[in-house]
Amino acid sequence: MTEKYNMPDERGHFGPYGGIFVAETLIPAVQELNAAYQRYMHDPEFIAEMDADLQHYVGRPSPLYHAERWSNELGGAQIYLKREDLNHTGSHKINNTVGQALLAKRMGKTRIIAETGAGQHGVATATVAARLGLECVVYMGSVDVARQSLNVYRMKLLGATVIAVESGSKTLKDALNEALRDWVTNVDNTFYIIGTVAGPHPYPAMVRDFQAIIGREARQQCLEQTGRLPDALVACVGGGSNAIGLFHPFINDASVKMYGVEAAGDGVETGRHSAPLSAGRPGVLHGNRTYLMSDDDGEIIETHSISAGLDYPGVGPEHAWLKDTGRAQYPNITDNEALEGFHALTLMEGIIPALESSHAMAYTMKLAPTMRKDQIIIINLSGRGDKDMQTMAKREGIEL
Amino acid sequence: MSRLAATFEALAKTGRKALIPFITAGDPHPNFTVAMMHAMVEAGVDVIELGVPFSDPVADGPVIQRASERALAHKMSLKRTMDIASEFRQTNQQTPVVLMGYLNPIEAMSYEGFANAAQRADIDGVLTVDLPPEEAKECCDLLKARGIDTIFLLAPNSSDERIKKMDEVGSGYLYYVSLKGVTGAGHLNSVDVENKLQQIKQHTRLPVAIGFGVKDAETAKTIGNIGDGVVVGSALISKIEAHLDQPELAKNEIVALLTAMRLALDSLSAL
């Protein structure tokens, strides 16, 4: 890419992707949000308040850690982990919820709603809502409520109301549907904190901007520690917020390869997966045009992944654009491979990753050995694995 | 003149209001829908909105969501919805049929493929809930070139600017969503609706049909007194849902409700 990257356009398009595809009642709401976002992202006072929260409340900057033992074991590139798992609440999700909650406060909204899959975004939202004294309602598919019960309990402790969604596949997409229905009904006093880089404009750009602190820090830390830029970035992609957060500040660095790792579930060839960029087609869902898992009639297909956070039939429109332009690549990793990645990092480095992030670990196990020892990979370790203990134990036949 | 325009013009001449039922195609079974459409015409409806089932109907409340799920369980699709409209048209050349649904099934078919198929099925109008005018031009132009109207929504929070835009891009009629929320929700506030309609009418000469929250003859009359037409959906689908194993009984109850609404609306023009 020779020209400086400057996406999206003013109506939220990343090439043919993105845009605003919502019912008329939400148009004034997204317009109001966009005006506030455009205003405050350039407001020094807002930025200063957000930066202070990110430093003192979230614990930023997160470390960039050289996983030396694991790198030697794999025998190829040097692996660095961007430690988003060390953030307050245990994942990258809080970078975005801090930003959006401050925006909600500026806009005078008194009620926060959110959707969640793995529960990390729900917890991060309930956390900031508690701190700011805002009412908080979190929608979560009932399948996810069952497999992420620890996070459900955390949200309730934080004062949030968790609503189990029983419609459709009872996972993340259905939670998003229900949150949109709530928003359309309570649009006057309610701010919808979307957790990923999807939804109608300005969400994909706004969430990216709040998450881009990951990549800005990683870029600076890599230069400080190694004197050079990384050769490759690896991050898991469900909706794609942790990946775009890492990738975006490197987009103009042509030498840096980007790998967004989708969840292949039982294997893309089985049809039981959550990999729209690998095996989906463009379409419109949840307010934007992007790659989707949909059938020939345009109905959304149920998705499968061991990780609730990746169990989503769409993907952020910017990833769709980065795929089409070839700037980023989107390989996929099966459930079983992700488990290998989970165990490898845990045993080699004493760090237990989230199952979502484990997809990025597993892909790195394939990628690193193909690279030279003087080359550098940065992986976004987007969340910690504590929430997945029950899922892991069940999968491996262990009673806790 | 389009079938929709002609219908509203004829109604206006006699001071009558349009009665517009919404049912989901293929609910509870694909074999049921054509007969239901004819029965509704017998009951005196003026336009039929035929819901295209979609897996993720984010603007709909639980009643219409479940209707979509029932229809999809019978492999209902956009294509088969148009087959139903086409079959209806074989014995009814007067009553306009409007497809109401979501964008993704149209995207899957391609805009041009959809426009051609809609023309073949003699569809009169298309209302796509998640396709606002800013994104609608390509699809709208293809439909317009084939004489098919594009119906847009207006909401309680729509600005003057927004109403003017809908007047420019929309045709056939405008659909005013009378409350903030999903289909089948809440209670109407007729004073609010009346005030908003006055604002809307300042900016458009298109007929305005009002929907969301119309439950019975009384609400139909109240709303009919304010707009040019009344849309009723969830109240009809509730009848289908109450008698899933006896579609004939559901049909009779729907006909009874629509007949009562027709009488209530016509009592307005008799005043």
Side-chain angles (χ1 to χ4, degrees):
Chain A
M1 250 178 224
T2 48
E3 284 176 32
K4 201 166 178 330
Y5 184 85
N6 187 28
M7 290 287 198
D9 69 16
E10 61 180 23
R11 289 201 292 129
H13 294 121
F14 301 88
Y17 305 110
I20 297 176
F21 294 89
V22 294
E24 196 55 30
T25 315
L26 287 180
I27 293 285
V30 296
Q31 286 175 342
E32 183 192 2
L33 174 62
N34 194 35
Y37 156 68
Q38 299 296 346
R39 174 178 165 199
Y40 289 112
M41 288 308 275
H42 304 287
D43 174 15
E45 241 177 71
F46 180 84
I47 303 283
E49 188 178 353
M50 184 169 71
D51 286 349
D53 278 359
L54 290 172
Q55 185 184 346
H56 302 296
Y57 189 66
V58 175
R60 303 205 70 89
S62 68
L64 183 72
Y65 166 72
H66 184 192
E68 214 170 338
R69 183 162 179 250
W70 197 33
S71 304
N72 289 339
E73 164 85 8
L74 292 173
Q78 300 307 304
I79 299 167
Y80 286 76
L81 303 173
K82 182 60 175 163
R83 297 292 307 275
E84 294 300 301
D85 60 319
L86 295 178
N87 292 341
H88 179 42
T89 72
S91 82
H92 73 291
K93 291 292 187 188
I94 195 146
N95 303 326
N96 169 49
T97 60
V98 161
Q100 287 200 51
L102 288 178
L103 204 52
K105 205 174 86 175
R106 289 285 202 286
M107 292 170 70
K109 304 288 181 184
T110 56
R111 182 171 176 272
I112 297 287
I113 58 169
E115 85 295 337
T116 197
Q120 294 302 94
H121 174 59
V123 167
T125 303
T127 297
V128 296
R131 177 163 174 261
L132 296 177
L134 299 167
E135 183 191 349
C136 179
V137 176
V138 179
Y139 291 92
M140 190 170 186
S142 61
V143 168
D144 294 335
V145 167
R147 64 178 161 176
Q148 301 286 349
S149 58
L150 280 175
N151 271 344
V152 174
Y153 184 54
R154 287 167 81 193
M155 286 184 267
K156 287 181 177 168
L157 288 175
L158 289 159
T161 304
V162 180
I163 299 180
V165 176
E166 298 288 349
S167 59
S169 59
K170 306 175 173 52
T171 59
L172 180 53
K173 90 171 164 76
D174 310 285
L176 229 151
N177 290 346
E178 215 52 44
L180 283 167
R181 291 182 185 119
D182 180 312
W183 197 25
V184 87
T185 306
N186 302 294
V187 64
D188 293 332
N189 71 342
T190 296
F191 189 106
Y192 180 13
I193 300 189
I194 293 186
T196 193
V197 284
H201 179 65
Y203 283 103
M206 179 175 71
V207 176
R208 173 198 72 196
D209 290 349
F210 286 139
Q211 291 293 1
I213 191 164
I214 301 170
R216 286 198 302 274
E217 285 178 5
R219 197 172 187 282
Q220 190 188 341
Q221 289 164 324
C222 188
L223 288 170
E224 283 167 7
Q225 291 180 30
T226 72
R228 54 185 293 257
L229 288 174
D231 299 282
L233 308 173
V234 181
C236 64
V237 175
S241 71
N242 91 78
I244 211 78
L246 177 62
F247 293 176
H248 191 256
F250 291 94
I251 283 183
N252 291 316
D253 300 312
S255 67
V256 181
K257 292 196 167 106
M258 299 172 176
Y259 300 94
V261 185
E262 292 196 299
D266 292 344
V268 165
E269 70 287 350
T270 66
R272 290 173 51 82
H273 60 86
S274 302
L277 289 169
S278 306
R281 62 173 96 195
V284 170
L285 181 71
H286 294 152
N288 66 98
R289 183 180 286 114
T290 187
Y291 279 83
L292 296 174
M293 306 258 303
S294 101
D295 67 15
D296 290 344
D297 292 327
E299 308 297 342
I300 305 304
I301 304 172
E302 289 199 10
T303 54
H304 298 272
S305 170
I306 190 172
S307 80
L310 303 182
D311 209 344
Y312 180 66
V315 63
E318 191 161 16
H319 287 296
W321 174 243
L322 293 176
K323 173 195 156 73
D324 281 10
T325 58
R327 180 62 189 92
Q329 290 169 58
Y330 294 90
N332 55 74
I333 283 292
T334 64
D335 286 352
N336 286 335
E337 290 171 327
L339 294 178
E340 285 174 32
F342 175 94
H343 285 302
L345 190 71
T346 303
L347 286 173
M348 294 304 298
E349 296 290 346
I351 297 171
I352 302 179
L355 282 173
E356 289 77 15
S357 319
S358 297
H359 288 72
M361 304 305 148
Y363 184 71
T364 302
M365 289 165 72
K366 295 182 181 182
L367 179 66
T370 69
M371 294 168 67
R372 294 191 318 269
K373 287 187 177 180
D374 63 342
Q375 290 187 300
I376 295 168
I377 298 173
I378 296 178
I379 313 177
N380 195 352
L381 177 43
S382 54
R384 65 180 184 223
D386 307 43
K387 71 182 175 60
D388 295 313
M389 291 300 101
Q390 287 172 325
T391 304
M392 287 301 297
K394 195 175 167 197
R395 178 103 178 182
E396 305 196 332
I398 294 160
E399 272 193 48
L400 294 178
Chain B
M1 188 185 293
S2 77
R3 208 180 264 130
L4 275 170
T7 299
F8 277 99
E9 195 179 282
L11 285 165
K13 271 184 189 158
T14 54
R16 294 171 77 233
K17 307 293 183 170
L19 178 58
I20 309 176
F22 169 99
I23 56 168
T24 299
D27 172 40
H29 192 277
N31 297 340
F32 174 75
T33 307
V34 173
M36 188 67 238
M37 291 168 78
H38 286 304
M40 294 194 300
V41 172
E42 289 284 310
V45 308
D46 303 289
V47 176
I48 294 174
E49 287 185 355
L50 198 52
V52 183
F54 181 51
S55 52
D56 295 82
V58 295
D60 286 301
V63 172
I64 294 178
Q65 283 177 49
R66 288 192 295 266
S68 255
E69 284 173 15
R70 286 192 295 271
L72 289 173
H74 292 292
K75 304 274 179 230
M76 207 59 209
S77 62
L78 175 56
K79 184 184 166 298
R80 292 187 68 195
T81 302
M82 289 192 278
D83 290 344
I84 283 175
S86 196
E87 195 185 330
F88 169 77
R89 189 59 81 220
Q90 284 172 15
T91 47
N92 179 319
Q93 276 82 48
Q94 289 79 45
T95 311
V97 174
V98 172
L99 295 183
M100 182 166 179
Y102 294 81
L103 185 57
N104 201 50
I106 296 176
E107 293 250 329
M109 195 177 272
S110 90
Y111 289 170
E112 192 165 4
F114 169 65
N116 288 336
Q119 186 180 29
R120 280 196 301 274
D122 205 356
I123 298 295
D124 299 285
V126 175
L127 196 173
T128 309
V129 176
D130 55 350
L131 184 60
E134 289 78 7
E135 301 283 356
K137 190 170 187 315
E138 189 187 343
C139 192
C140 230
D141 287 350
L142 286 162
L143 291 170
K144 195 175 178 182
R146 289 159 181 77
I148 300 170
D149 288 316
T150 312
I151 290 99
F152 286 94
L153 299 171
L154 284 169
N157 51 0
S158 295
S159 62
D160 285 333
E161 198 182 16
R162 206 70 201 159
I163 299 165
K164 284 179 202 164
K165 177 164 266 170
M166 299 309 183
D167 176 62
E168 277 168 37
V169 296
S171 61
Y173 61 99
L174 294 174
Y175 184 140
Y176 177 61
V177 173
S178 63
L179 42 84
K180 293 170 193 158
V182 293
T183 49
H187 292 283
L188 286 165
N189 181 327
S190 61
V191 177
D192 289 350
V193 176
E194 199 162 354
N195 289 338
K196 192 69 190 184
L197 256 285
Q198 277 180 8
Q199 183 195 352
I200 292 170
K201 285 288 186 181
Q202 282 171 14
H203 303 296
T204 185
R205 297 174 70 178
L206 285 170
V208 180
I210 304 174
F212 283 39
V214 179
K215 294 182 191 323
D216 47 29
E218 195 184 338
T219 42
K221 189 174 171 180
T222 307
I223 290 304
N225 202 23
I226 301 169
D228 303 299
V230 173
V231 185
V232 54
S234 297
L236 303 181
I237 290 174
S238 295
K239 307 280 186 200
I240 292 175
E241 193 163 67
H243 306 291
L244 285 178
D245 299 329
Q246 296 163 280
E248 279 303 312
L249 185 56
K251 190 167 82 180
N252 293 343
E253 291 194 6
I254 285 172
V255 164
L257 179 58
L258 289 172
T259 305
M261 287 181 168
R262 176 82 271 164
L263 280 171
L265 288 176
D266 288 350
S267 72
L268 290 167
S269 54
L271 290 178

